[in-house]
Amino acid sequence: RMSVALGVPSLAFASPRSRAAPNPSAAYAPRVLSASASTKRSLSRIRGRGHETKTLNVVPIGFPPPDLSWIPTPAQVFAVENAAIFPLWGAMMFAPKNRVTKAVMRGNAVPFLTCGVYLYLTWFSFHDPRILEAFSTGKPDLAALAKGFSYQWCMAVGWAHFIAMDLFVGRWVYLDSQKNDVFAAHSLLLTLFFGPTGAVSHVITRGVTGMVRGEKLIDVMDTSGEK
């Protein structure tokens, strides 16, 4: 009797003396073979009454490869970017008129840094063959997205995207509130946790404030009146 196991369901071959009579109903039964995800595969051979076993260690296709093991991991980038952005949100909400807050938020360093983090994660994410395989369907279906985002690199890309875009909207809310002297702490808090609701909140707040003052407040991004 000889059995071969390769990390996938084993195939057994019985000798003519021990072979059982064929079952007519089993001949038409569907056979399901499932690939094993184990990284350790064993090759076993059993001959007669004795047996010998050989084990092969197969390294799966993963990321990063050994020559890129020095690059920051998604978990490290995730921790650093979270630690870096929360002080910015706190400054906009609780110290909006501070000169350091104004200088940082009026500059372009924050958008460029968040963009750089996003590009770094995206670049290495799509060097991972498992992520490429997950999105290989070419269709934006939820099953493909769920599979792709099940890997840390791809999830880190999504998180960096949220951080960059939310901070971009929050920066607009902050600068517009400074230009028009409108209270914006609540809108910034909503932007931080619920994205688009913060932008809508600020537009409503600015509109109500303008009505109370009896004046039209111009959006900070509106350059139609400039020459």
Side-chain angles (χ1 to χ4, degrees):
R1 188 179 183 86
M2 179 173 65
S3 173
V4 181
L6 290 174
V8 295
S10 62
L11 304 176
F13 300 89
S15 65
R17 293 179 299 176
S18 61
R19 184 177 300 165
N23 185 352
S25 62
Y28 299 96
R31 173 170 294 178
V32 179
L33 298 179
S34 59
S36 172
S38 174
T39 61
K40 186 177 181 181
R41 302 178 178 181
S42 62
L43 173 61
S44 301
R45 294 181 179 178
I46 303 176
R47 296 174 178 173
R49 295 182 179 180
H51 69 276
E52 62 180 76
T53 303
K54 294 182 179 180
T55 301
L56 300 177
N57 292 326
V58 180
V59 179
I61 298 176
F63 190 82
D67 59 332
L68 288 177
S69 59
W70 56 270
I71 65 176
T73 66
Q76 292 171 336
V77 176
F78 177 86
V80 170
E81 64 182 345
N82 281 333
I85 61 106
F86 279 111
L88 299 176
W89 286 99
M92 289 190 291
M93 285 186 281
F94 304 114
K97 298 187 182 298
N98 183 276
R99 61 183 182 85
V100 176
T101 305
K102 291 181 178 180
V104 172
M105 300 315 299
R106 286 174 179 172
N108 295 318
V110 172
F112 275 97
L113 286 174
T114 54
C115 178
V117 172
Y118 177 79
L119 290 176
Y120 165 79
L121 292 169
T122 302
W123 173 261
F124 285 112
S125 174
F126 285 98
H127 278 69
D128 189 333
R130 299 169 301 176
I131 296 175
L132 291 177
E133 180 186 1
F135 291 110
S136 62
T137 61
K139 298 182 295 184
D141 57 274
L142 285 177
L145 289 175
K147 184 177 180 181
F149 281 100
S150 66
Y151 298 103
Q152 281 194 359
W153 277 98
C154 199
M155 178 57 72
V157 171
W159 187 251
H161 183 277
F162 290 142
I163 285 180
M165 296 308 296
D166 286 351
L167 196 56
F168 180 82
V169 175
R171 180 172 176 263
W172 164 74
V173 171
Y174 169 77
L175 294 176
D176 189 74
S177 67
Q178 291 296 297
K179 177 178 183 282
N180 292 300
D181 194 21
V182 175
F183 181 75
H186 64 299
S187 298
L188 288 166
L189 186 63
L190 287 173
T191 304
L192 172 60
F193 290 108
F194 303 108
T197 61
V200 174
S201 171
H202 177 67
V203 171
I204 295 174
T205 303
R206 185 181 64 191
V208 172
T209 303
M211 291 176 60
V212 172
R213 294 178 185 172
E215 58 181 316
K216 182 179 180 181
L217 302 181
I218 307 300
D219 193 292
V220 70
M221 298 180 69
D222 185 358
T223 59
S224 58
E226 296 181 3
K227 294 183 180 181

